[in-house]
């Protein structure tokens, strides 16, 4: 990170820390600093509480053909739809006050994740391209994974790296090409964990998880599952 970017980032975190307590999703002032979310946002959180496809994690039925059927992870799971306050929290993670948002996300994940998803797993954050990370100053997936490791005691291994040219994010409907491109650019550093749980902020098509899971499997990981804070449901 360049010094100017680091300063911007520190300034944003400091402003957020010193500001009067506000809802982490909508910034409405809060009477209780420990509340984190206002009543309205708390009630409007779009939990994926009903029956969900065991493979792709979207509410059943996931379609005539499960979108994860040919992807390299065993299952994908998310506690929330990428909508309403959950969508605002994902956006808030990119601005000031990122650490409290990551801790709140980790608490919500830990409270609702199926125990068998977490048992015995090593958390592996989905990597940002180093150039993009430098531009943004930090990495949301790494923040969520670190907060989740703190909360659950699960080990964390940031063993995936993106290499080569950073490319522009392509639009929906091009996931196959994106997956192929992403696979070429992912490298595993060191010995990968035998049982990996990929962590990201949002899962859209599963193509990024697929590329990460392929790279881990090629390097010797036996079991790969995928966890995102939010799941985009419009396809
Ligand atoms: Zn709110
Ligand atoms: Zn499915």
């Amino acid at each position: 990170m360049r010094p100017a970017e680091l300063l911007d980032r520190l300034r944003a975190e400091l402003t957020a820390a010193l500001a009067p307590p506000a809802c982490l999703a909508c910034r409405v002032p809060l009477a209780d600093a420990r509340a984190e979310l206002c009543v309205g946002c708390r009630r409007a959180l779009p939990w994926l509480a009903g029956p969900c496809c065991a493979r792709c994690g979207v509410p059943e039925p996931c379609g005539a053909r499960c979108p994860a059927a040919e992807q390299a992870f065993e299952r994908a799971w998310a506690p929330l739809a990428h909508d309403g306050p959950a969508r605002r929290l994902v956006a808030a993670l990119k601005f000031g006050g990122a650490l409290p948002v990551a801790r709140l996300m980790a608490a919500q994940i830990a409270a609702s994740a199926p125990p068998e998803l977490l048992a015995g797993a090593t958390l592996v954050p989905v990597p940002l391209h180093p150039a993009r990370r430098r531009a943004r100053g930090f990495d949301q997936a790494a923040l969520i994974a670190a907060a989740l490791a703190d909360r659950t005691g699960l080990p964390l291994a940031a063993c995936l790296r993106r290499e080569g040219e950073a490319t522009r994010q392509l639009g929906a409907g091009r996931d196959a090409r994106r997956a192929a491109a992403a696979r070429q650019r992912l490298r595993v550093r060191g010995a990968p964990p035998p049982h990996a749980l990929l962590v990201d902020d949002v899962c859209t098509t599963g193509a990024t998880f697929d590329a990460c899971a392929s790279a881990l499997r090629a390097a010797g990981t036996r079991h790969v599952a995928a966890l995102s804070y939010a799941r985009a449901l419009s396809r």
Side-chain angles (χ1 to χ4, degrees):
M1 208 185 310
R2 286 187 293 130
E5 288 159 354
L6 180 63
L7 264 180
D8 283 349
R9 181 92 203 124
L10 286 174
R11 194 175 294 125
E13 289 288 349
L14 194 63
T15 307
L18 296 177
C23 172
L24 292 174
C26 73
R27 309 306 303 167
V28 79
L30 294 176
D32 180 355
R34 293 161 305 173
E36 296 170 316
L37 292 176
C38 70
V39 174
C41 285
R42 195 167 287 281
R43 286 199 184 130
L45 279 169
W47 294 102
L48 294 174
C52 287
C53 172
R55 188 74 213 275
C56 69
V58 310
E60 285 179 328
C62 61
R65 188 175 155 278
C66 176
E70 284 164 20
Q71 293 180 326
F73 49 82
E74 285 157 26
R75 66 180 296 193
W77 179 86
L80 291 146
H82 188 226
D83 211 353
R87 190 185 188 103
R88 287 196 291 275
L89 284 169
V90 167
L93 195 54
K94 295 173 180 146
F95 303 106
L99 294 179
V101 175
R103 281 196 290 266
L104 173 63
M105 289 176 166
Q108 292 176 338
I109 291 167
S112 53
E116 70 277 10
L117 183 74
L118 303 181
T122 296
L123 303 174
V124 178
V126 167
L128 266 186
H129 191 277
R132 198 169 289 158
R133 184 187 177 127
R134 276 195 299 276
R136 191 174 287 169
F138 73 106
D139 179 335
Q140 314 90 285
L143 283 179
I144 298 171
L148 191 59
D150 267 359
R151 177 162 281 267
T152 59
L154 291 175
L156 174 73
C159 59
L160 286 172
R161 259 190 99 75
R162 281 187 201 272
E163 291 177 350
E165 295 269 308
T167 51
R168 200 172 54 82
Q169 205 120 39
L170 298 172
R174 300 179 188 174
D175 38 326
R177 199 195 311 170
R178 184 168 61 190
R183 200 173 293 124
Q184 288 171 5
R185 304 196 311 270
L186 283 159
R187 296 284 176 273
V188 177
R189 291 189 305 173
H195 182 167
L197 180 57
L198 291 162
V199 179
D200 209 351
D201 55 350
V202 184
C203 172
T204 304
T205 62
T208 305
F209 279 148
D210 182 35
C212 291
S214 295
L216 286 169
R217 281 190 186 280
T221 295
R222 288 196 305 277
H223 297 287
V224 189
L227 181 164
S228 60
Y229 174 69
R231 175 80 200 208
L233 295 181
S234 52
R235 236 173 259 285

